[in-house]
Structures are given as structure tokens and as C-alpha cells.
Amino acid sequence: MVPFCLSTGLFYVPGNYANTEEVIEIAKVVGQYGGFHISHMRDEASKILDSVRETIRIGEEGGLPTQLTHHKIIGKAGWDSAWRRCVG
């Protein structure tokens, strides 16, 4: 079997024009062949948690393992609120 990978750069052009449903449909095909998904998330600042949720959704609905890459929070203003949301 040939390994397949879906690498998404949803932060960058042209990937940022793709909606979540479109990426999920591609992920389903890759998942059928035993592939996996590596994502550079759509947003790393004020919408960081939405981006994490989107990436998890792509993996779950696409039926394939998913990895977040370059995971960070841009901007000191978001550090505290993101931490509180993650740990409760």
C-alpha cells in the first residue's frame, strides 16, 4: 500500500479559500487509502480554538488521523484566555 497524506495550509493562500466541508470531502478519500492529515491551522491568534476544533473535525469526519503542526498562539493578548479555555 502506498502511504497517502493530506497536508493542508489553511492559513495560507490558496488553502484559506477552502471551506471546512471541502477539506473534509478530500480527507474522506485520503482516509479510505489509510492516509493521514497534517494541518497548518487556519488561525493562530484570536480564533485559535475555532481552528483547533476545525482541525479535529476534519480528522473525525474525514476518518483519518490528524496532526496539528506549528501549534502556537500568536499575540500575547490571547495567551491567558486560551489557557483558561483549555484548562477550564
Side-chain angles (χ1 to χ4, degrees):
M1 178 191 287
V2 177
F4 285 92
C5 174
L6 170 62
S7 177
T8 55
L10 301 177
F11 184 80
Y12 303 106
V13 173
N16 61 350
Y17 293 111
N19 64 46
T20 307
E21 288 70 27
E22 179 180 2
V23 178
I24 289 169
E25 290 304 312
I26 296 168
K28 287 177 181 178
V29 174
V30 174
Q32 289 175 353
Y33 290 94
F36 57 96
H37 171 226
I38 296 176
S39 178
H40 192 281
M41 298 183 305
R42 195 176 297 276
D43 190 287
E44 297 174 337
S46 63
K47 296 182 182 178
I48 183 79
L49 293 178
D50 291 336
S51 291
V52 170
R53 287 183 195 103
E54 177 187 41
T55 305
I56 292 170
R57 181 179 168 209
I58 292 166
E60 288 180 341
E61 293 184 28
L64 73 172
T66 298
Q67 176 182 328
L68 294 167
T69 58
H70 306 285
H71 187 27
K72 60 191 166 292
I73 299 172
I74 297 173
K76 189 175 180 179
W79 296 348
D80 186 55
S81 64
W83 173 253
R84 276 191 255 147
R85 288 180 192 166
C86 290
V87 298

